[in-house]
Amino acid sequence: MSERDECIFCRIADGKVKSDLLHQDSEVIAFRDINPLAPLHLLIVPRKHIPSLVELEAEDSSLIGAMVNVANWLAKDAGVAEKGYRLVINCGPEGGQGVPHLHMHLLGGRQLGSKLG
Ligand code: DGP
């Protein structure tokens, strides 16, 4: 089995697993988290399989900007931009990363706690 076939977010990006997709372009997709922690909880995911933030190569660093742009657009579209929202990238086991494919959480729609860890 190929790396993409073994990765749940690659399978979603490739249309092999269903998701509640809200955005897709040539580089980035965004869909609702299956386990929402807030009224709005989206995942912004590069199509390219990058296992985690620490493995982001310099040549791919513009992807982070593309992911933030998509997140900001989705926050505005969902109506949470004015009140505020949070973007989170978990990296590695101690950073709380469960799915080994780079992704950004967009959380909003309620007052989020002031503690990060
Ligand atoms: P993290 O802990 O940062 O790796 O978060 C991974 C998130 O991915 C977690 O909040 C649950 C979500 N997730 C895992 N598998 C699926 C899936 O198959 N579909 C969707 N929509 N979300 C998933």
Side-chain angles (χ1 to χ4, degrees):
M1 209 190 257
S2 78
E3 186 175 63
R4 287 198 78 79
D5 284 331
E6 287 177 22
C7 170
I8 184 65
F9 287 177
C10 286
R11 289 173 62 80
I12 289 173
D14 294 345
K16 292 177 178 165
V17 169
K18 264 190 77 175
S19 70
D20 196 349
L21 204 61
L22 296 178
H23 171 86
Q24 56 179 324
D25 62 42
S26 60
E27 287 188 316
V28 176
I29 62 167
F31 51 90
R32 290 188 198 281
D33 195 294
I34 206 167
N35 214 353
L37 299 175
L40 181 70
H41 186 171
L42 307 181
L43 297 171
I44 296 96
V45 177
R47 287 186 183 276
K48 182 172 180 178
H49 183 78
I50 299 167
S52 78
L53 191 62
V54 73
E55 287 170 78
L56 187 75
E57 305 277 358
E59 68 195 35
D60 290 324
S61 56
S62 65
L63 267 178
I64 297 295
M67 289 162 71
V68 171
N69 285 339
V70 168
N72 286 343
W73 183 81
L74 288 168
K76 285 175 194 155
D77 192 58
V80 304
E82 205 169 304
K83 285 193 170 176
Y85 54 97
R86 182 173 292 168
L87 302 181
V88 177
I89 298 178
N90 296 325
C91 179
E94 287 204 359
Q97 183 180 4
V99 175
H101 179 128
L102 175 64
H103 54 280
M104 179 183 285
H105 296 258
L106 164 56
L107 296 152
R110 68 167 169 84
Q111 178 63 54
L112 299 168
S114 55
K115 286 188 183 165
L116 279 179

